[in-house]
Amino acid sequence: MTTTHFDYLIVGGGMVADTAARGIREIDSDGSIGILSDDVDEPYTRPALSKKLWTDDEFTWDKVPLGTAADTGAEVRLRTRATALRPDAHEVDADGETFSYAKLLVATGGKPIALPIDDHSEGERALSFRTAEDYRRLRSLAEDVDRIAVVGGGYIGSELAAALVQNDVDTVLIHTGAVLGDAVFPAALAERFEKLFRDAGVEIVAGSKVESGRADADGVTLRLENGDEVRADAVVSGLGIEVATDLAEHAGLTVDDGIVVDAQLRASVDDVYAAGDVASYPDRLLGRRRVEHVDNANEQGKAAGRNLAGAAEPYTHTPYYYSAVFGIRYEAVGTLDSSLETVEDWRDTEHGVVYYLDDDRVVGVLLWNVEDARDAARAVLAEADTLTRDDLVGRIR
């Protein structure tokens, strides 16, 4: 078996790989970098796939690729899936080849949760949404068919439903909540959020899960747990991901809801690091957690790259996440869970802050159309032990 050596080997070809390569180059301008990616595209900006590419005519496809190889000199191997990691030998097997490394970053992310349907369309009428190739397929469907079902009421599902209906597609959104967003937002805000979709023409099918279904060249039939059926020309699911930890588990790395890393993003074996969706890390404000959003991918990837190259720096960033639909943008830091107590502070009907409290301690901050306040939200979390409810109202504007 052929062996290729890299000073720095990155398994995974997403945004973490891009920022990690750039982080390496901040410290080491010469070391060889290899990126093993099972994608068909070099690293690209993932949020655009469900946001700007659908709604901003000036955001064209040429702005999607990140230029990783050109900017960093990394060798990107596409359509290359790592199948085995041997930490003691400092080796990774992938597609019939062995790659040796001095330092390794595992950034395998996750794979989308598939719908439980019988697909006879060979993926032409039923797809999960994760990659740029998925975007291209859905975009083609949006131009060729009349009605598309979206399954999942989280960030990706809601963004896709908004994107499709704004591109003149008859759209039905199926989700398990009573009201769209009710797992995250306070009740009144969830009602307002869902109304945005209904007013735009999205058909909402709430409170039921897809139990089974069939897709073929003629379209899709989805059978729901309550016995109802939904028919469409195609279906796309945004049900989240299963974290890709198999490679790490089989190699003996410590895994517990992700690959467990320390403050420097080091895994439990020498010379192996992990970052992005797959990493369980100790957040300096919120404790151990795993985050599946782009801000974490960018910042953690960069930090991991620097540490691969010897920086030995703790990762101290507390990431935020965001969504943008129908002209509103909300951002969040920390834990958003509608079962928690909340304190709402609205400047007017369109701009406000919601604080989420656990035992009277702030654990999450939602910024609804409030700009440039992420650091202020982090400051609230940092000072949570000393703040009372009365301290919160008016604190962020």
Side-chain angles (χ1 to χ4, degrees):
M1 189 179 288
T2 304
T3 299
T4 302
H5 179 79
F6 290 103
D7 297 320
Y8 308 101
L9 182 63
I10 302 169
V11 178
M15 298 184 74
V16 171
D18 173 76
T19 55
R22 296 176 191 277
I24 290 167
R25 286 291 178 249
E26 291 181 0
I27 306 292
D28 182 349
S29 59
D30 299 319
S32 58
I33 303 172
I35 298 174
L36 308 182
S37 172
D38 62 2
D39 207 331
V40 300
D41 296 279
E42 288 198 16
Y44 47 83
T45 176
R46 193 179 297 274
L49 304 181
S50 59
K51 297 181 177 73
K52 281 191 171 185
L53 281 170
W54 296 89
T55 58
D56 184 349
D57 291 339
E58 295 182 1
F59 193 92
T60 51
W61 185 259
D62 61 292
K63 298 178 181 179
V64 175
L66 294 170
T68 310
D71 292 348
T72 68
E75 181 178 332
V76 182
R77 300 282 191 99
L78 299 176
R79 299 178 176 87
T80 304
R81 179 182 294 275
T83 53
L85 163 60
R86 293 182 296 279
D88 291 344
H90 283 55
E91 291 179 342
V92 172
D93 292 340
D95 289 353
E97 188 172 352
T98 294
F99 298 86
S100 63
Y101 62 85
K103 298 290 179 65
L104 174 71
L105 174 62
V106 181
T108 44
K111 61 180 181 180
I113 297 170
L115 285 170
I117 66 174
D118 190 10
D119 184 10
H120 293 268
S121 74
E122 298 183 349
E124 292 301 315
R125 294 299 181 111
L127 64 149
S128 300
F129 196 88
R130 179 73 173 168
T131 67
E133 180 65 12
D134 296 332
Y135 163 79
R136 290 189 289 266
R137 290 170 59 205
L138 184 60
R139 193 82 199 210
S140 178
L141 279 170
E143 294 169 357
D144 293 341
V145 306
D146 295 323
R147 178 174 168 85
I148 297 178
V150 179
V151 181
Y155 299 98
I156 296 300
S158 60
E159 288 175 0
L160 288 178
L164 289 168
V165 79
Q166 289 177 96
N167 282 268
D168 301 321
V169 178
D170 182 10
T171 305
V172 53
L173 175 58
I174 303 167
H175 70 96
T176 58
V179 178
L180 188 63
D182 64 357
V184 176
F185 304 134
L189 184 56
E191 293 279 1
R192 287 168 49 194
F193 184 65
E194 182 177 283
K195 188 174 185 297
L196 293 171
F197 289 78
R198 292 190 183 279
D199 289 350
V202 177
E203 178 186 345
I204 303 287
V205 177
S208 195
K209 184 178 180 180
V210 174
E211 184 176 60
S212 62
R214 178 185 172 89
D216 57 32
D218 296 324
V220 176
T221 300
L222 303 173
R223 287 178 285 278
L224 309 184
E225 284 186 335
N226 63 6
D228 290 345
E229 286 189 349
V230 174
R231 290 184 172 83
D233 298 309
V235 61
V236 57
S237 63
L239 295 173
I241 62 170
E242 296 176 353
V243 187
T245 57
D246 288 355
L247 188 73
E249 288 184 67
H250 293 154
L253 277 65
T254 300
V255 173
D256 184 7
D257 185 33
I259 300 171
V260 177
V261 297
D262 66 10
Q264 293 184 25
L265 306 177
R266 297 175 298 195
S268 57
V269 299
D270 290 342
D271 299 324
V272 178
Y273 294 68
D277 296 352
V278 77
S280 169
Y281 76 98
D283 188 285
R284 69 183 183 91
L285 298 181
L286 300 166
R288 184 162 291 277
R289 62 202 302 248
R290 189 179 59 78
V291 177
E292 297 177 6
H293 295 281
V294 62
D295 183 43
N296 187 59
N298 285 335
E299 297 297 327
Q300 203 170 75
K302 178 181 176 181
R306 289 177 58 86
N307 286 341
L308 285 170
E313 300 164 342
Y315 177 63
T316 59
H317 181 69
T318 296
Y320 81 100
Y321 52 97
Y322 77 102
S323 187
V325 293
F326 301 122
I328 65 101
R329 177 185 171 100
Y330 64 87
E331 302 176 346
V333 182
T335 300
L336 270 59
D337 182 338
S338 61
S339 68
L340 296 172
E341 294 184 72
T342 57
V343 173
E344 299 186 47
D345 183 16
W346 292 92
R347 188 167 74 219
D348 53 47
T349 57
E350 299 301 324
H351 303 82
V353 181
V354 181
Y355 301 93
Y356 293 73
L357 287 74
D358 190 359
D359 287 335
D360 283 331
R361 185 179 188 277
V362 179
V363 294
V365 182
L366 170 66
L367 306 168
W368 190 271
N369 281 334
V370 176
E371 298 180 358
D372 301 322
R374 295 190 293 269
D375 285 342
R378 292 185 183 102
V380 168
L381 295 174
E383 301 169 27
D385 289 332
T386 64
L387 297 175
T388 67
R389 289 169 178 260
D390 291 340
D391 294 327
L392 300 176
V393 176
R395 184 180 176 93
I396 297 177
R397 281 287 184 258

